[in-house]
Amino acid sequence: MHEISDFLDAGDAQSAAAALAELHPSDIADLLEQADEDRRELLIALLRPQFDAEILAYLSIDLRDEVIERLEPKALAAAVAELDTDDAVDVIQDLDEEAQRSILANLPPEARALVEEGLTYPEYSAGRLMGRQFVSVPEFWTVGGLLDYLRAAATSEDTDLPEEFYDIFVVDPMHRVVGSVPLSRVLRSRRGVKLVDILHEDIHRIAVTMDQEEVARLFRNYGLVSAPVVDAGGRLVGVITVDDVVDVIEEEAEADLLAMGGVGEDDLYRAVLSTARSRFRWLAFNVVTALISATVINQFTNTIAQVVALAALMPIVASMGGNAGTQALTVAVRALATKELTTANAARVIGKEVLVGLLNGMALAGIVGGIAFLWFGQSLIGLVIAGAMVINLICAGLFGGLIPFVLDRMKIDPAVASGVFLTMVTDVVGFLAFLGLATVILL
Amino acid sequence: MHEISDFLDAGDAQSAAAALAELHPSDIADLLEQADEDRRELLIALLRPQFDAEILAYLSIDLRDEVIERLEPKALAAAVAELDTDDAVDVIQDLDEEAQRSILANLPPEARALVEEGLTYPEYSAGRLMGRQFVSVPEFWTVGGLLDYLRAAATSEDTDLPEEFYDIFVVDPMHRVVGSVPLSRVLRSRRGVKLVDILHEDIHRIAVTMDQEEVARLFRNYGLVSAPVVDAGGRLVGVITVDDVVDVIEEEAEADLLAMGGVGEDDLYRAVLSTARSRFRWLAFNVVTALISATVINQFTNTIAQVVALAALMPIVASMGGNAGTQALTVAVRALATKELTTANAARVIGKEVLVGLLNGMALAGIVGGIAFLWFGQSLIGLVIAGAMVINLICAGLFGGLIPFVLDRMKIDPAVASGVFLTMVTDVVGFLAFLGLATVILL
């Protein structure tokens, strides 16, 4: 890959193109992602004549749009037609409508029908993830018959055998899934053995409407490599393989991480203006909560005017509450994502967070109270901040656990929305407890 | 699974045990995770007679320790001996030394040697992940010969064929990997075909010392299902399969998410005291940064005493800086984890963050400045907060991008440490800019 940069630096486009042709699509995607704009344009120009649409599948969505804009619809459609249906659906689903239409119109009729069908399934469903090529055979076949069939299909012209597969699906005459046989099991069995005698019946059939997160959970929990996708009637309609699921796991983990950081979606490749706009929404929300805290503080200007040291100390209480609350919140958000936090154990988990808040609140109260006393030489100031700390950390534990759980029950993504509400609570409680106690005790 | 709860509620231990025996180890692990302590004890008592060590592989580390403590070393060793080497290593590596020794001592000599060898590889390396059972054959073999070998091995007594496998590894006489043949390719080929004619030579050989994160990246980028692990001499020593990699991807994503939230490790099942203690470290760090901000504010008590409204407004500047900085930081931490942020594009990425900070800083300056003006009826106060907002958001963008990048270069995990430094910067700059401007402009 460094070689290609060297060729391009030296202006040797031909050698660069030759070296590009040797690379795996995912490496080309990496190259495009790490290039600056000029270099990217140059690379796309080199790739254009024989564009491999699989590169698109590895690009982040923003960069994908950029690359697609620079390709001709016909060339793009030709490239997409070469993809497996699931990859084609994956690439097309994120495009805007016009781009979708122009690619679909240029696809061969058969591929077009499959892709259009794929797009009819709900977003993030198993139907969007699944491939349409699989090996399904009747239950009365033997291992020998299967081998002969596969060998014949491999050499036939219009084979629809998938490039790679991991399980043979055994179906009844209605095309309902009876079971599956892992390939390693086929290889171990003699020709005369009947498939019905070596198949696993107790397999995980995935409904075509199942959410992709649930699909990922199944694959992870049961160590699956491929699984049949069935329609409402139990008929085999597709297959999901573990490589699709790895992408889903990555995407879900990334989405949670970004959401908790207040970023809507990966914006690494987006232009400055569009990045700023998408992030602004989150900041605007936070302005509201910051203004609410300001209003709280503003009720105590009289107290602050009399003991100005309070102004220096009050952010400590709010920020420590925020930090402790974020700890509880992170654990809760993660446990909700992995289904480890459920109605059954919610009271216990949240109760524990309150206790943890109490313990750490007392520990911090001792430290910060002591420092405040030494700093300002007033034991009452130490007492005020210590009391406020305990109150705020208990609230932080309570709401850090409770907010994500309640949002999740309300079908709101806890990773996205929990942070704003929590900050509001820990700021308001922090300032209120500290300045309130100060007013009562010091004045 | 609900059934089992019902049985236990009704005190019908026998039916519960029977139902448990039907469950997949990962479901039993789920059940243990969701149970409260009494219920968990009951479940473990039911499982003890025929404990399936695979359950341990699915449990979170804390819960695993708890379960292991309640099993007898002998029974536990018997259960572990049933596991594949990689799972056994996975279970044993996280135990304390005494528990490790007691299990190892009770393992059959052969399994013990393999597990002990596994433990000699560095933590988080391919050597710890890999399985020791694989199918490797010489290059001159034919498909027919391979089939005969596998069928014979499957029925032999002391077979060391893995339960499931996805690739046949072709090795030279020195046991160096020449290439691999996916099983679906074997099945498609006639008996007379030589393996050397159908093998993929251009495969990804994984060095036994490779970090697991790098292994995961290879599997993800190239859609691998299994890959050979080789020693320094290129000799085949093990195989990594995609199910191990799915766990790694999950763990890495979880570790980053928790670290960014200020939580060292998953503590959902840990006792209150131990949770509080492990989280306290992070909070103690943050006390230091909070005290630094307090010191900054304390320099301006004179200014605050004269315009008390400043006390109400100053947390807005600091908190908006913190929020905007966290956005930049989250994107940078994620991009470092996926190797999308490198030295080659760091200047561009960080430069973009500064521009985004400038744009959103100006937008927020307008909004918050306007509100402050309307609220306190002083246009100069609006001007002060607007100016401070722009300054702090530019710093937030700069340091939100820079801190993770620099920490990563210094081989410090950016997910863990970036947050503290960033908060320090945005708090100090926020208070300093706001109160400094106020002192200059208002007094």
Side-chain angles (χ1 to χ4, degrees):
Chain A
M1 283 165 66
H2 286 290
E3 211 186 37
I4 292 173
S5 297
D6 294 343
F7 286 138
L8 289 176
D9 288 338
D12 183 355
Q14 211 166 4
S15 307
L20 271 177
E22 299 287 306
L23 284 184
H24 188 277
S26 88
D27 291 328
I28 298 179
D30 280 354
L31 214 56
L32 287 168
E33 290 185 341
Q34 280 160 24
D36 61 25
E37 262 171 78
D38 294 345
R39 179 56 51 95
R40 202 178 292 150
E41 207 166 326
L42 209 61
L43 285 169
I44 294 171
L46 291 176
L47 292 167
R48 199 178 289 134
Q50 287 178 302
F51 192 79
D52 180 350
E54 227 185 298
I55 298 168
L56 296 175
Y58 288 104
L59 286 176
S60 76
I61 293 178
D62 289 309
L63 203 50
R64 191 186 284 172
D65 285 342
E66 192 191 317
V67 172
I68 283 172
E69 264 173 40
R70 300 194 182 184
L71 296 170
E72 304 228 321
K74 276 219 174 132
L76 189 60
V80 168
E82 295 289 311
L83 291 178
D84 290 338
T85 310
D86 54 335
D87 289 332
V89 170
D90 183 38
V91 166
I92 290 177
Q93 65 184 356
D94 299 317
L95 301 179
D96 58 45
E97 238 174 280
E98 200 193 339
Q100 282 194 5
R101 248 200 310 273
S102 107
I103 293 185
L104 284 172
N106 283 294
L107 281 183
E110 215 171 314
R112 180 179 172 165
L114 280 176
V115 170
E116 283 182 335
E117 197 202 318
L119 289 172
T120 62
Y121 295 111
E123 232 183 323
Y124 309 117
S125 71
R128 291 271 178 121
L129 275 185
M130 72 186 181
R132 304 313 185 81
Q133 293 177 302
F134 45 78
V135 182
S136 65
V137 299
E139 37 189 336
F140 57 82
W141 278 26
T142 60
V143 167
L146 173 65
L147 287 175
D148 295 341
Y149 161 75
L150 289 173
R151 287 168 184 166
T155 47
S156 112
E157 277 290 299
D158 48 48
T159 175
D160 61 349
L161 280 191
E163 173 77 13
E164 282 213 30
F165 52 96
Y166 312 103
D167 291 289
I168 305 286
F169 298 113
V170 179
V171 294
D172 71 8
M174 303 288 292
H175 218 69
R176 283 181 303 229
V177 182
V178 178
S180 74
V181 191
L183 297 195
S184 55
R185 202 148 185 186
V186 174
L187 285 175
R188 267 199 285 247
S189 306
R190 298 184 187 278
R191 286 186 65 91
V193 172
K194 282 198 185 119
L195 292 184
V196 77
D197 293 329
I198 54 172
L199 61 76
H200 292 299
E201 278 181 61
D202 185 21
I203 58 170
H204 298 275
R205 294 162 180 82
I206 291 175
V208 74
T209 53
M210 184 185 280
D211 185 81
Q212 62 174 12
E213 246 183 284
E214 183 61 20
V215 174
R217 216 181 53 80
L218 280 180
F219 269 73
R220 193 170 54 231
N221 280 4
Y222 302 108
L224 307 181
V225 168
S226 80
V229 180
V230 297
D231 66 13
R235 282 179 297 269
L236 184 62
V237 292
V239 58
I240 293 180
T241 50
V242 67
D243 53 317
D244 306 316
V245 173
V246 166
D247 293 340
V248 170
I249 292 177
E250 277 279 313
E251 281 167 26
E252 301 278 347
E254 168 160 315
D256 278 354
L257 184 81
L258 293 176
M260 299 230 350
V263 191
E265 47 191 299
D266 191 357
D267 56 24
L268 197 63
Y269 305 106
R270 235 197 265 182
V272 171
L273 204 65
S274 134
T275 302
R277 208 180 308 134
S278 87
R279 291 198 199 163
F280 179 75
R281 253 168 290 168
W282 172 256
L283 295 176
F285 262 118
N286 280 281
V287 166
V288 178
T289 74
L291 283 170
I292 294 173
S293 324
T295 319
V296 172
I297 299 170
N298 204 41
Q299 305 308 310
F300 294 96
T301 40
N302 186 29
T303 310
I304 295 172
Q306 290 183 51
V307 190
V308 187
L310 296 178
L313 293 174
M314 66 184 188
I316 300 181
V317 181
S319 94
M320 294 314 299
N323 287 324
T326 303
Q327 292 180 325
L329 181 135
T330 305
V331 171
V333 165
R334 178 68 198 163
L336 285 166
T338 56
K339 313 262 183 232
E340 291 177 279
L341 174 54
T342 61
T343 321
N345 62 2
R348 195 151 33 86
V349 169
I350 297 169
K352 178 184 145 182
E353 289 299 346
V354 173
L355 284 177
V356 171
L358 174 66
L359 288 176
N360 279 339
M362 290 194 303
L364 291 172
I367 295 172
V368 178
I371 292 174
F373 164 59
L374 294 175
W375 191 358
F376 295 101
Q378 272 188 272
S379 61
L380 283 183
I381 285 192
L383 193 68
V384 166
I385 199 167
M389 204 71 115
V390 173
I391 294 173
N392 204 20
L393 264 82
I394 292 175
C395 282
L398 175 62
F399 287 94
L402 196 61
I403 291 172
F405 179 71
V406 170
L407 288 174
D408 189 60
R409 288 303 100 144
M410 293 165 66
K411 309 274 175 215
I412 299 171
D413 183 354
V416 174
S418 298
V420 197
F421 291 110
L422 179 70
T423 315
M424 198 163 68
V425 171
T426 52
D427 277 1
V428 167
V429 171
F431 292 127
L432 201 59
F434 180 66
L435 297 172
L437 283 177
T439 309
V440 173
I441 296 179
L442 296 181
L443 299 193
Chain B
M1 282 164 67
H2 286 290
E3 213 187 32
I4 291 172
S5 298
D6 294 344
F7 286 139
L8 289 176
D9 289 338
D12 182 356
Q14 211 166 5
S15 306
L20 269 177
E22 297 287 306
L23 284 183
H24 188 278
S26 88
D27 292 327
I28 298 179
D30 279 354
L31 213 56
L32 287 168
E33 291 184 342
Q34 280 159 26
D36 62 23
E37 260 170 79
D38 293 346
R39 179 58 49 98
R40 201 177 292 150
E41 206 166 327
L42 209 60
L43 285 169
I44 294 172
L46 290 177
L47 292 166
R48 199 178 288 134
Q50 286 178 303
F51 192 78
D52 180 350
E54 227 183 298
I55 298 169
L56 297 175
Y58 288 102
L59 285 177
S60 76
I61 293 178
D62 289 310
L63 203 50
R64 189 186 286 172
D65 284 343
E66 192 191 318
V67 172
I68 283 173
E69 266 174 38
R70 300 197 182 181
L71 296 171
E72 303 229 320
K74 275 218 175 130
L76 189 60
V80 168
E82 294 290 311
L83 291 178
D84 289 338
T85 309
D86 55 336
D87 290 332
V89 170
D90 183 38
V91 166
I92 291 178
Q93 65 185 355
D94 299 316
L95 301 179
D96 58 44
E97 236 174 283
E98 199 193 342
Q100 283 193 7
R101 247 200 311 273
S102 107
I103 293 185
L104 285 173
N106 283 294
L107 281 182
E110 216 170 312
R112 179 179 173 165
L114 280 176
V115 170
E116 283 182 334
E117 196 200 318
L119 289 171
T120 62
Y121 295 112
E123 231 183 326
Y124 309 116
S125 70
R128 292 272 179 120
L129 275 184
M130 71 187 182
R132 305 313 185 79
Q133 293 178 302
F134 45 77
V135 181
S136 64
V137 299
E139 39 191 336
F140 57 82
W141 277 26
T142 60
V143 168
L146 174 64
L147 287 175
D148 295 340
Y149 161 74
L150 290 172
R151 288 169 185 166
T155 47
S156 112
E157 275 290 299
D158 49 47
T159 176
D160 60 350
L161 279 191
E163 173 76 12
E164 281 213 32
F165 51 97
Y166 312 102
D167 291 288
I168 305 286
F169 299 113
V170 179
V171 294
D172 71 9
M174 302 289 293
H175 219 70
R176 283 182 302 230
V177 181
V178 178
S180 75
V181 191
L183 297 194
S184 56
R185 202 152 186 180
V186 175
L187 285 175
R188 266 199 287 249
S189 307
R190 298 183 189 280
R191 287 185 65 92
V193 172
K194 283 199 185 118
L195 292 184
V196 76
D197 293 328
I198 54 172
L199 60 76
H200 293 298
E201 279 180 63
D202 186 23
I203 58 169
H204 298 275
R205 293 163 181 81
I206 291 175
V208 73
T209 52
M210 185 185 280
D211 185 79
Q212 63 175 12
E213 247 184 283
E214 182 63 18
V215 174
R217 214 181 55 79
L218 280 180
F219 268 74
R220 191 170 58 231
N221 281 4
Y222 302 108
L224 307 180
V225 169
S226 79
V229 180
V230 297
D231 66 13
R235 282 178 297 269
L236 183 61
V237 292
V239 58
I240 293 181
T241 50
V242 67
D243 54 314
D244 305 316
V245 173
V246 166
D247 292 341
V248 170
I249 292 176
E250 278 278 313
E251 279 168 26
E252 301 277 348
E254 168 160 315
D256 278 355
L257 185 81
L258 293 177
M260 298 223 3
V263 191
E265 47 192 295
D266 191 356
D267 57 24
L268 196 64
Y269 305 106
R270 234 194 266 181
V272 171
L273 205 66
S274 132
T275 301
R277 207 180 308 135
S278 88
R279 291 198 200 165
F280 179 76
R281 252 167 290 168
W282 173 256
L283 295 176
F285 262 118
N286 280 281
V287 166
V288 177
T289 76
L291 283 171
I292 294 173
S293 324
T295 319
V296 172
I297 299 170
N298 203 41
Q299 306 307 310
F300 295 95
T301 40
N302 186 29
T303 311
I304 295 172
Q306 290 183 51
V307 191
V308 186
L310 297 177
L313 293 174
M314 65 182 190
I316 301 182
V317 181
S319 95
M320 295 313 300
N323 287 323
T326 303
Q327 292 180 324
L329 181 135
T330 306
V331 171
V333 166
R334 179 67 198 163
L336 286 166
T338 57
K339 313 261 181 232
E340 292 177 278
L341 174 53
T342 60
T343 320
N345 62 2
R348 195 151 33 85
V349 169
I350 297 169
K352 179 184 144 183
E353 289 299 345
V354 172
L355 284 177
V356 171
L358 174 67
L359 288 176
N360 279 338
M362 290 194 304
L364 291 172
I367 296 172
V368 178
I371 292 174
F373 165 59
L374 293 176
W375 190 357
F376 295 101
Q378 272 188 272
S379 60
L380 284 183
I381 285 192
L383 193 69
V384 166
I385 199 168
M389 203 71 115
V390 173
I391 294 172
N392 204 20
L393 263 83
I394 292 176
C395 282
L398 175 63
F399 287 94
L402 196 61
I403 291 172
F405 179 72
V406 170
L407 288 175
D408 189 60
R409 287 304 99 143
M410 292 165 66
K411 309 272 176 219
I412 299 171
D413 183 355
V416 174
S418 298
V420 197
F421 291 111
L422 178 71
T423 315
M424 196 162 69
V425 171
T426 53
D427 278 0
V428 167
V429 171
F431 292 127
L432 200 60
F434 180 67
L435 296 173
L437 283 177
T439 308
V440 173
I441 296 178
L442 294 181
L443 298 193

